[in-house]
Amino acid sequence: MQPAPSYPFAQRLGHVETSAIREVFKLLGRPGIISFAGGFPDSALFDVAHIEEAARQALAQQAAQALQYGATEGFMPLREQLAALMQARGASVRAEQLIVTTGSQQALDLVGKTLAEPGCKVIVEGPTFLAAIQCFRLYGAQVISAPADAHGVQPGALERLIEEHRPRFVYLIPTFGNPGGATLTLERRRRVLELAVRHQTLIIEDDPYGQLWFDAPPPPSLLALTSEVPGSRDWLIHCGSLSKILSPGLRLGWMTAPAPLLAQAVMCKQFSDANTSAFAQAVAANYLAAGHLGQALENARRVYARRARVMGQALHEQLGQAIAFTPPQGGLFIWARLTGAGGALADGAALAPKAIAQGVAFVPGAPFFATQPEAATLRLSFATAGEDDIREGVARLARALRV
Amino acid sequence: MQPAPSYPFAQRLGHVETSAIREVFKLLGRPGIISFAGGFPDSALFDVAHIEEAARQALAQQAAQALQYGATEGFMPLREQLAALMQARGASVRAEQLIVTTGSQQALDLVGKTLAEPGCKVIVEGPTFLAAIQCFRLYGAQVISAPADAHGVQPGALERLIEEHRPRFVYLIPTFGNPGGATLTLERRRRVLELAVRHQTLIIEDDPYGQLWFDAPPPPSLLALTSEVPGSRDWLIHCGSLSKILSPGLRLGWMTAPAPLLAQAVMCKQFSDANTSAFAQAVAANYLAAGHLGQALENARRVYARRARVMGQALHEQLGQAIAFTPPQGGLFIWARLTGAGGALADGAALAPKAIAQGVAFVPGAPFFATQPEAATLRLSFATAGEDDIREGVARLARALRV
């Protein structure tokens, strides 16, 4: 018998492993499971009719461009629409100052490729987006968690970590963060930008959820606030995404950054995938130009706000003192902590299989911490289950907690 | 005045620069220029009507999947269609043995991310695809050219280089290569696979052009031939693309590799762009399932074959002894060498601006060599200009050569 071949893998692969979340997802195929585990929008909210209209227009009027290779920077009509989206939210960005990426995951990959390497350090919130942690680790970065609370990252603690570790960059999801659901206050946003200037440290603002507010818009993005903090625009990279507000299947995100950084990101993207699908870009450009996003966003906000409220109430009613959380003001997630009250379980990873046995799935919180994981945490998405399923799923969760 | 900020770029950026081809492309906007510089298919050949039908079907019947996140490995109906494409060309591949990539450029990026790192060596053909050289360098590889002739890479020389350098992998475009246009003979294909087994060295077969043959199909792919060379399948990664045969704007490529390599590539892709556009994948799956590719390929083969012949004849008539080339049997390119006969220029880079001044563009050949550039070479694409424009463009090239 031949021995199995031994392949010369790069050392960087030793820094990461396939996400713990993927393992949870494998269990979701079981019939009857109610899932709070997803990190995606509800397919029922996709504006299919208007997307079809936009696709038809792309092929009827722009086929030679939509089906051809395109500029690495992106399809100009889409860049213009994305600049307008950011302008409408108070940020001053021209189309030439942003590039289109293959989902905002690629923006993170380009940040890593451009800035991270073995021996460098990166600071993120604890907890944060797992695929960001893994992405940066794959480029060799040591990823360090900064403490966050219900109002986002704590600027005092962040400053001490910046002084101690001199990171290549600080990665934040300041608005309705995944998984924490927290929103950085206006005061803290200003302090973070001041920190960036004082310590000449890049901040990555990842903002896929900012438009998904419930009762009132969140504070302005860090990007918008750079105009109030002199010098801070030089230290801010902002990543946006159409995945949560239009469709993940188009795989469209974007990134705006100071010109020298953007130029290097474009160079890296040239050798990552050359350009993002021109067809998907043309479809999105037509959709946005036709002005349909406003209505689609209103629908999504209304549906998600109601589901968030239903889940919050059910958790209070069914789990009582055994669970603690801050009701989110937007986004897709409730981030909760098992308190152990009344001797109940206080470990998310231990609860997960019991929950699956009861017919409900969620994601344990510990993997979302780059360092110092909090075992008692869990992430519950209210985005994709209907209101009755949310109530039933929470009842099952309560049963799992008592088993 | 504030000093310009100094950003902490990763060292890897020092290994590459924005491609020389991009610089040539900036000049193409000038009105009246006939371009032989492109590396893309003719937009006029896109099968727009059937692509629109496929898009309508995706949104009418599969919207919840096509507009949602998808598996990192790819959309299963497309994986099945791609497996069938390869089976039809004599290779034994199941859908589970391939992953969909965001263009085949991403397959190269995943090869680099998975296997290359500082201090390692990679062997490529001289000349080869520039974005492959740059992609591997960005991951720290030292890229070495193996000599190639009109019949592709020379196995004897390749074996000596493998023994000397112990490369992480050997990257080849065995069929109608870019830019060299050469096709590896059947005999050499077998020898390359034997080398792979004997030296336990991975071969990357990049095959975007294999279906674009003119008079007769090329020899079977290395992938198909692995069945004849025991053990060789363990050492072969095969990359395919829909860009040259369906549409670059869908940004769809694929990669098949031994299971442990494919698993690591999937892990890397998870943090590169999570998944390739599900919408684009559904459109392509529907298009292929409807059986339209055969007719589209026949059209493309006929048009490109004619243009290749016209360009070849015009070059002989207009440039005579001043240029030497082997007429291609498929693909998009004529790779030529300026002989200097009669005292004419024998430097592609020096000819390029003179040609632009005469109203014709091409790409000088030297940048396509990872090492030991041949200054007298140039790449001429016959794919996107009509026959009259090809004759006129070659006449201009002849004038440029005489100036």
Side-chain angles (χ1 to χ4, degrees), chain B residues 65-83:
Chain B
Q65 283 178 284
L67 298 178
Q68 190 54 279
Y69 288 103
T72 302
E73 292 85 348
F75 182 56
M76 189 47 87
L78 179 60
R79 295 168 79 191
E80 285 163 0
Q81 289 296 327
L82 297 175

PDB file of all heavy atoms in Angstrom, chain B residues 65-83:
ATOM      1  N   GLN B  65     -32.303  30.592  -2.722  1.00  0.00           N
ATOM      2  CA  GLN B  65     -30.905  30.134  -2.698  1.00  0.00           C
ATOM      3  C   GLN B  65     -29.983  31.100  -3.443  1.00  0.00           C
ATOM      4  O   GLN B  65     -28.886  31.391  -3.003  1.00  0.00           O
ATOM      5  CB  GLN B  65     -30.793  28.761  -3.373  1.00  0.00           C
ATOM      6  CG  GLN B  65     -31.259  27.610  -2.521  1.00  0.00           C
ATOM      7  CD  GLN B  65     -31.140  26.313  -3.313  1.00  0.00           C
ATOM      8  OE1 GLN B  65     -31.959  26.051  -4.191  1.00  0.00           O
ATOM      9  NE2 GLN B  65     -30.100  25.537  -3.012  1.00  0.00           N
ATOM     10  N   ALA B  66     -30.451  31.572  -4.596  1.00  0.00           N
ATOM     11  CA  ALA B  66     -29.580  32.367  -5.463  1.00  0.00           C
ATOM     12  C   ALA B  66     -29.230  33.714  -4.838  1.00  0.00           C
ATOM     13  O   ALA B  66     -28.188  34.286  -5.141  1.00  0.00           O
ATOM     14  CB  ALA B  66     -30.242  32.586  -6.823  1.00  0.00           C
ATOM     15  N   LEU B  67     -30.098  34.221  -3.966  1.00  0.00           N
ATOM     16  CA  LEU B  67     -29.832  35.534  -3.367  1.00  0.00           C
ATOM     17  C   LEU B  67     -29.306  35.426  -1.944  1.00  0.00           C
ATOM     18  O   LEU B  67     -29.061  36.431  -1.286  1.00  0.00           O
ATOM     19  CB  LEU B  67     -31.112  36.386  -3.407  1.00  0.00           C
ATOM     20  CG  LEU B  67     -31.638  36.694  -4.815  1.00  0.00           C
ATOM     21  CD1 LEU B  67     -32.936  37.495  -4.737  1.00  0.00           C
ATOM     22  CD2 LEU B  67     -30.596  37.466  -5.639  1.00  0.00           C
ATOM     23  N   GLN B  68     -29.107  34.212  -1.457  1.00  0.00           N
ATOM     24  CA  GLN B  68     -28.672  33.993  -0.071  1.00  0.00           C
ATOM     25  C   GLN B  68     -27.180  33.630  -0.034  1.00  0.00           C
ATOM     26  O   GLN B  68     -26.568  33.395  -1.073  1.00  0.00           O
ATOM     27  CB  GLN B  68     -29.517  32.863   0.527  1.00  0.00           C
ATOM     28  CG  GLN B  68     -29.396  32.625   2.011  1.00  0.00           C
ATOM     29  CD  GLN B  68     -29.630  33.840   2.887  1.00  0.00           C
ATOM     30  OE1 GLN B  68     -28.717  34.666   3.052  1.00  0.00           O
ATOM     31  NE2 GLN B  68     -30.830  33.953   3.470  1.00  0.00           N
ATOM     32  N   TYR B  69     -26.613  33.597   1.177  1.00  0.00           N
ATOM     33  CA  TYR B  69     -25.289  32.993   1.331  1.00  0.00           C
ATOM     34  C   TYR B  69     -25.357  31.547   0.864  1.00  0.00           C
ATOM     35  O   TYR B  69     -26.425  30.926   0.881  1.00  0.00           O
ATOM     36  CB  TYR B  69     -24.858  33.001   2.808  1.00  0.00           C
ATOM     37  CG  TYR B  69     -24.507  34.360   3.341  1.00  0.00           C
ATOM     38  CD1 TYR B  69     -25.387  35.061   4.151  1.00  0.00           C
ATOM     39  CD2 TYR B  69     -23.285  34.946   3.041  1.00  0.00           C
ATOM     40  CE1 TYR B  69     -25.062  36.314   4.650  1.00  0.00           C
ATOM     41  CE2 TYR B  69     -22.949  36.202   3.539  1.00  0.00           C
ATOM     42  CZ  TYR B  69     -23.847  36.882   4.345  1.00  0.00           C
ATOM     43  OH  TYR B  69     -23.527  38.118   4.830  1.00  0.00           O
ATOM     44  N   GLY B  70     -24.212  31.007   0.487  1.00  0.00           N
ATOM     45  CA  GLY B  70     -24.184  29.619   0.060  1.00  0.00           C
ATOM     46  C   GLY B  70     -22.985  28.910   0.658  1.00  0.00           C
ATOM     47  O   GLY B  70     -22.172  29.505   1.368  1.00  0.00           O
ATOM     48  N   ALA B  71     -22.877  27.640   0.347  1.00  0.00           N
ATOM     49  CA  ALA B  71     -21.748  26.851   0.835  1.00  0.00           C
ATOM     50  C   ALA B  71     -20.448  27.389   0.254  1.00  0.00           C
ATOM     51  O   ALA B  71     -20.403  27.796  -0.911  1.00  0.00           O
ATOM     52  CB  ALA B  71     -21.923  25.388   0.424  1.00  0.00           C
ATOM     53  N   THR B  72     -19.400  27.387   1.069  1.00  0.00           N
ATOM     54  CA  THR B  72     -18.090  27.835   0.596  1.00  0.00           C
ATOM     55  C   THR B  72     -17.630  26.995  -0.592  1.00  0.00           C
ATOM     56  O   THR B  72     -17.007  27.503  -1.526  1.00  0.00           O
ATOM     57  CB  THR B  72     -17.062  27.753   1.740  1.00  0.00           C
ATOM     58  OG1 THR B  72     -17.538  28.562   2.824  1.00  0.00           O
ATOM     59  CG2 THR B  72     -15.703  28.271   1.317  1.00  0.00           C
ATOM     60  N   GLU B  73     -17.974  25.723  -0.593  1.00  0.00           N
ATOM     61  CA  GLU B  73     -17.563  24.812  -1.670  1.00  0.00           C
ATOM     62  C   GLU B  73     -18.225  25.130  -3.004  1.00  0.00           C
ATOM     63  O   GLU B  73     -17.708  24.727  -4.055  1.00  0.00           O
ATOM     64  CB  GLU B  73     -17.907  23.370  -1.287  1.00  0.00           C
ATOM     65  CG  GLU B  73     -17.098  22.809  -0.128  1.00  0.00           C
ATOM     66  CD  GLU B  73     -17.676  23.158   1.246  1.00  0.00           C
ATOM     67  OE1 GLU B  73     -18.585  24.020   1.320  1.00  0.00           O
ATOM     68  OE2 GLU B  73     -17.211  22.571   2.233  1.00  0.00           O
ATOM     69  N   GLY B  74     -19.366  25.808  -2.959  1.00  0.00           N
ATOM     70  CA  GLY B  74     -20.074  26.142  -4.189  1.00  0.00           C
ATOM     71  C   GLY B  74     -21.493  25.606  -4.198  1.00  0.00           C
ATOM     72  O   GLY B  74     -21.874  24.809  -3.332  1.00  0.00           O
ATOM     73  N   PHE B  75     -22.255  26.060  -5.191  1.00  0.00           N
ATOM     74  CA  PHE B  75     -23.665  25.721  -5.365  1.00  0.00           C
ATOM     75  C   PHE B  75     -23.710  24.344  -6.035  1.00  0.00           C
ATOM     76  O   PHE B  75     -23.189  24.156  -7.134  1.00  0.00           O
ATOM     77  CB  PHE B  75     -24.284  26.801  -6.251  1.00  0.00           C
ATOM     78  CG  PHE B  75     -25.755  26.681  -6.516  1.00  0.00           C
ATOM     79  CD1 PHE B  75     -26.678  26.624  -5.487  1.00  0.00           C
ATOM     80  CD2 PHE B  75     -26.232  26.693  -7.830  1.00  0.00           C
ATOM     81  CE1 PHE B  75     -28.044  26.554  -5.752  1.00  0.00           C
ATOM     82  CE2 PHE B  75     -27.591  26.625  -8.105  1.00  0.00           C
ATOM     83  CZ  PHE B  75     -28.498  26.556  -7.054  1.00  0.00           C
ATOM     84  N   MET B  76     -24.316  23.371  -5.361  1.00  0.00           N
ATOM     85  CA  MET B  76     -24.197  21.982  -5.826  1.00  0.00           C
ATOM     86  C   MET B  76     -24.646  21.778  -7.284  1.00  0.00           C
ATOM     87  O   MET B  76     -23.955  21.082  -8.039  1.00  0.00           O
ATOM     88  CB  MET B  76     -24.913  21.036  -4.863  1.00  0.00           C
ATOM     89  CG  MET B  76     -24.657  19.558  -5.136  1.00  0.00           C
ATOM     90  SD  MET B  76     -22.899  19.083  -5.394  1.00  0.00           S
ATOM     91  CE  MET B  76     -22.355  18.785  -3.704  1.00  0.00           C
ATOM     92  N   PRO B  77     -25.752  22.385  -7.733  1.00  0.00           N
ATOM     93  CA  PRO B  77     -26.111  22.161  -9.145  1.00  0.00           C
ATOM     94  C   PRO B  77     -25.016  22.640 -10.112  1.00  0.00           C
ATOM     95  O   PRO B  77     -24.824  22.035 -11.168  1.00  0.00           O
ATOM     96  CB  PRO B  77     -27.400  22.979  -9.314  1.00  0.00           C
ATOM     97  CG  PRO B  77     -27.992  23.039  -7.936  1.00  0.00           C
ATOM     98  CD  PRO B  77     -26.808  23.110  -6.999  1.00  0.00           C
ATOM     99  N   LEU B  78     -24.308  23.698  -9.752  1.00  0.00           N
ATOM    100  CA  LEU B  78     -23.207  24.136 -10.627  1.00  0.00           C
ATOM    101  C   LEU B  78     -22.036  23.169 -10.530  1.00  0.00           C
ATOM    102  O   LEU B  78     -21.409  22.827 -11.548  1.00  0.00           O
ATOM    103  CB  LEU B  78     -22.751  25.562 -10.277  1.00  0.00           C
ATOM    104  CG  LEU B  78     -21.573  26.063 -11.138  1.00  0.00           C
ATOM    105  CD1 LEU B  78     -21.944  26.078 -12.626  1.00  0.00           C
ATOM    106  CD2 LEU B  78     -21.107  27.443 -10.701  1.00  0.00           C
ATOM    107  N   ARG B  79     -21.732  22.705  -9.325  1.00  0.00           N
ATOM    108  CA  ARG B  79     -20.630  21.748  -9.189  1.00  0.00           C
ATOM    109  C   ARG B  79     -20.903  20.505 -10.035  1.00  0.00           C
ATOM    110  O   ARG B  79     -19.999  19.956 -10.663  1.00  0.00           O
ATOM    111  CB  ARG B  79     -20.419  21.374  -7.720  1.00  0.00           C
ATOM    112  CG  ARG B  79     -19.970  22.567  -6.870  1.00  0.00           C
ATOM    113  CD  ARG B  79     -20.038  22.261  -5.384  1.00  0.00           C
ATOM    114  NE  ARG B  79     -18.920  21.464  -4.913  1.00  0.00           N
ATOM    115  CZ  ARG B  79     -18.877  20.893  -3.704  1.00  0.00           C
ATOM    116  NH1 ARG B  79     -19.914  20.994  -2.882  1.00  0.00           N
ATOM    117  NH2 ARG B  79     -17.809  20.221  -3.331  1.00  0.00           N
ATOM    118  N   GLU B  80     -22.170  20.099 -10.071  1.00  0.00           N
ATOM    119  CA  GLU B  80     -22.516  18.931 -10.896  1.00  0.00           C
ATOM    120  C   GLU B  80     -22.314  19.214 -12.380  1.00  0.00           C
ATOM    121  O   GLU B  80     -21.799  18.365 -13.125  1.00  0.00           O
ATOM    122  CB  GLU B  80     -23.966  18.495 -10.604  1.00  0.00           C
ATOM    123  CG  GLU B  80     -24.074  17.773  -9.270  1.00  0.00           C
ATOM    124  CD  GLU B  80     -25.498  17.671  -8.739  1.00  0.00           C
ATOM    125  OE1 GLU B  80     -26.434  18.173  -9.413  1.00  0.00           O
ATOM    126  OE2 GLU B  80     -25.664  17.120  -7.633  1.00  0.00           O
ATOM    127  N   GLN B  81     -22.706  20.398 -12.815  1.00  0.00           N
ATOM    128  CA  GLN B  81     -22.518  20.750 -14.220  1.00  0.00           C
ATOM    129  C   GLN B  81     -21.032  20.824 -14.585  1.00  0.00           C
ATOM    130  O   GLN B  81     -20.617  20.417 -15.673  1.00  0.00           O
ATOM    131  CB  GLN B  81     -23.189  22.102 -14.532  1.00  0.00           C
ATOM    132  CG  GLN B  81     -24.716  22.057 -14.523  1.00  0.00           C
ATOM    133  CD  GLN B  81     -25.279  21.150 -15.607  1.00  0.00           C
ATOM    134  OE1 GLN B  81     -24.697  21.028 -16.683  1.00  0.00           O
ATOM    135  NE2 GLN B  81     -26.385  20.495 -15.317  1.00  0.00           N
ATOM    136  N   LEU B  82     -20.234  21.370 -13.669  1.00  0.00           N
ATOM    137  CA  LEU B  82     -18.796  21.509 -13.954  1.00  0.00           C
ATOM    138  C   LEU B  82     -18.125  20.137 -13.984  1.00  0.00           C
ATOM    139  O   LEU B  82     -17.243  19.873 -14.821  1.00  0.00           O
ATOM    140  CB  LEU B  82     -18.138  22.428 -12.917  1.00  0.00           C
ATOM    141  CG  LEU B  82     -18.663  23.874 -12.916  1.00  0.00           C
ATOM    142  CD1 LEU B  82     -18.022  24.669 -11.769  1.00  0.00           C
ATOM    143  CD2 LEU B  82     -18.410  24.563 -14.256  1.00  0.00           C
ATOM    144  N   ALA B  83     -18.562  19.255 -13.086  1.00  0.00           N
ATOM    145  CA  ALA B  83     -18.028  17.888 -13.115  1.00  0.00           C
ATOM    146  C   ALA B  83     -18.366  17.237 -14.459  1.00  0.00           C
ATOM    147  O   ALA B  83     -17.522  16.577 -15.085  1.00  0.00           O
ATOM    148  CB  ALA B  83     -18.588  17.075 -11.954  1.00  0.00           C
TER     149      ALA B  83
END
